[in-house]
Amino acid sequence: MCEATSSTNRQHKDRLFKKVFGTKEDLLSLYNAINNTDYSDPNDVEINTVEDFIYMSMKNDVSFLIYDVLNLYEHQSSQNPNMAFRGFLYLAELYKGMFSGRQDLYSSVRLALPTPQFIVFYNGTADEPDESFIKMSDAYVGNISGEPSLECTARLLNINYGHNKELMDKCKRLHDYSALIKKIRDNQKAGMNNVEAIDKAVDDCIKENLLADILSKHRLEVTQVLLTEYDEELHINNEKDISYNKGLEQGLEQGIERGIEQGRNEQLLESIKNLMTNLGLSAEEAMKSLGIEQANFDKYLKMM
């Protein structure tokens, strides 16, 4: 994994979650824990992550094939109602790579397709149940008499410490990752800044043999990645607050209803540009981070 050297070096770093499960052995352990299987040969895992899937810029993910099951695992620390659609686009890219130019899609013989499984590991601060499901069809707006012809379901697993205990007991790697994040957050609540909170959490995890192999060998890299993640999260939240407050202020100066709307649009546009400049996000990624509905993307793109 390339080392993250700054909070703007978005294209050349992976999240810590992906590094924690960066080997076939660890992926197999996580797969077994989720599916209640007991496969033992890591060589049966075929990693097929699309590293440069630019369209959606999914940098937290890993995909792999094992025993005719196509797995897409993604880590998320923020709520995203479009996860199922994102998964669909990514899985379509994987299927395309597997079969393009190799099989006759017009043949009278039915193709054998690996069964897809899209898991989202959530560890944000919002209150979420141990398990929930997001369906792409929930976003459909057209009315038809029957069932829609296309579906993709994201299975959301809450991996915050204290959730999904049975899963954590089966996969120590996942438990240890959850414990590390909890320690960082507890340290922050105790008044430490991000650097202090992460540094102490890493020290404590090494002493307690939690992810000790990664944290000891790659301490600097892990610290930089964690700092980048927390810096991005703080920056995005700040931009949301600034956008709302400045938009309200400008709106009051210009007139209540029309003015507030115009002021908020202008400040949202400024926040989009700030995220693109400071975090290296695309315009679409910046708008998603600010909670702008996809239906309004074109409006802001035209204003840029």
Side-chain angles (χ1 to χ4, degrees), residues 24-37:
K24 292 183 176 183
E25 290 80 4
D26 292 325
L27 277 178
L28 184 59
S29 172
L30 183 57
Y31 178 89
N32 282 333
I34 291 172
N35 296 281
N36 294 312
T37 52

Side-chain angles (χ1 to χ4, degrees), residues 17-35 37 39 41-49 51 60-66 71-74 117 119 121 167 170-171 173-174:
F17 185 86
K18 185 173 179 180
K19 186 171 186 63
V20 169
F21 293 99
T23 69
K24 292 183 176 183
E25 290 80 4
D26 292 325
L27 277 178
L28 184 59
S29 172
L30 183 57
Y31 178 89
N32 282 333
I34 291 172
N35 296 281
T37 52
Y39 298 124
D41 188 355
N43 291 321
D44 291 330
V45 175
E46 179 185 339
I47 299 175
N48 57 3
T49 303
E51 296 292 349
N60 307 346
D61 68 278
V62 61
S63 57
F64 62 98
L65 186 67
I66 179 172
N71 300 274
L72 174 57
Y73 289 175
E74 185 179 0
Q117 181 176 235
I119 309 290
F121 299 92
L167 178 62
K170 291 180 180 179
C171 183
R173 207 69 160 174
L174 188 62

Side-chain angles (χ1 to χ4, degrees), residues 53-282:
F53 192 39
I54 298 175
Y55 180 71
M56 295 300 291
S57 295
M58 294 172 71
K59 291 294 181 183
N60 307 346
D61 68 278
V62 61
S63 57
F64 62 98
L65 186 67
I66 179 172
Y67 303 114
D68 295 325
V69 177
L70 181 59
N71 300 274
L72 174 57
Y73 289 175
E74 185 179 0
H75 169 259
Q76 281 283 346
S77 59
S78 59
Q79 295 174 313
N80 186 337
N82 300 309
M83 281 187 280
F85 183 50
R86 285 160 56 86
F88 160 71
L89 292 173
Y90 196 102
L91 288 167
E93 189 74 9
L94 289 172
Y95 279 121
K96 179 181 177 181
M98 294 171 62
F99 292 98
S100 180
R102 304 178 189 177
Q103 302 285 345
D104 182 2
L105 300 182
Y106 298 96
S107 170
S108 59
V109 178
R110 183 171 60 191
L111 296 178
L113 302 178
T115 303
Q117 181 176 235
F118 180 27
I119 309 290
V120 177
F121 299 92
Y122 173 80
N123 74 335
T125 56
D127 186 23
E128 292 285 350
D130 281 4
E131 180 182 49
S132 58
F133 297 89
I134 298 175
K135 292 187 175 182
M136 187 168 71
S137 60
D138 292 338
Y140 293 159
V141 294
N143 293 319
I144 58 175
S145 59
E147 293 294 321
S149 298
L150 195 62
E151 182 64 280
C152 183
T153 302
R155 181 185 178 191
L156 187 72
L157 297 177
N158 190 335
I159 59 169
N160 279 301
Y161 198 83
H163 286 269
N164 279 304
K165 185 177 184 303
E166 183 178 353
L167 178 62
M168 299 293 178
D169 289 342
K170 291 180 180 179
C171 183
K172 184 178 185 304
R173 207 69 160 174
L174 188 62
H175 166 273
D176 291 359
Y177 174 81
S178 177
L180 170 63
I181 301 303
K182 182 180 186 300
K183 288 180 183 293
I184 294 174
R185 289 174 176 166
D186 287 346
N187 292 339
Q188 290 172 321
K189 291 178 182 177
M192 298 182 192
N193 61 38
N194 285 349
V195 175
E196 295 169 336
I198 291 171
D199 198 49
K200 186 177 186 305
V202 170
D203 278 339
D204 291 343
C205 282
I206 292 175
K207 293 175 183 176
E208 298 171 25
N209 195 29
L210 303 173
L211 297 180
D213 56 334
I214 290 179
L215 298 180
S216 297
K217 186 176 181 180
H218 304 285
R219 180 174 185 132
L220 178 60
E221 181 181 353
V222 167
T223 300
Q224 289 176 327
V225 168
L226 285 168
L227 279 172
T228 300
E229 291 182 16
Y230 280 98
D231 285 347
E232 285 183 4
E233 182 178 353
L234 176 62
H235 188 68
I236 288 171
N237 288 335
N238 284 341
E239 285 295 343
K240 286 182 179 179
D241 292 339
I242 292 171
S243 175
Y244 177 81
N245 292 331
K246 283 192 175 180
L248 180 60
E249 181 180 328
Q250 292 175 12
L252 290 173
E253 292 176 355
Q254 298 170 14
I256 299 300
E257 291 186 8
R258 182 179 177 185
I260 287 178
E261 179 65 21
Q262 181 179 345
R264 178 155 170 74
N265 285 339
E266 291 174 354
Q267 187 51 47
L268 274 174
L269 183 62
E270 182 179 338
S271 294
I272 293 168
K273 293 178 179 178
N274 285 341
L275 291 180
M276 292 173 66
T277 300
N278 296 330
L279 298 183
L281 303 183
S282 67

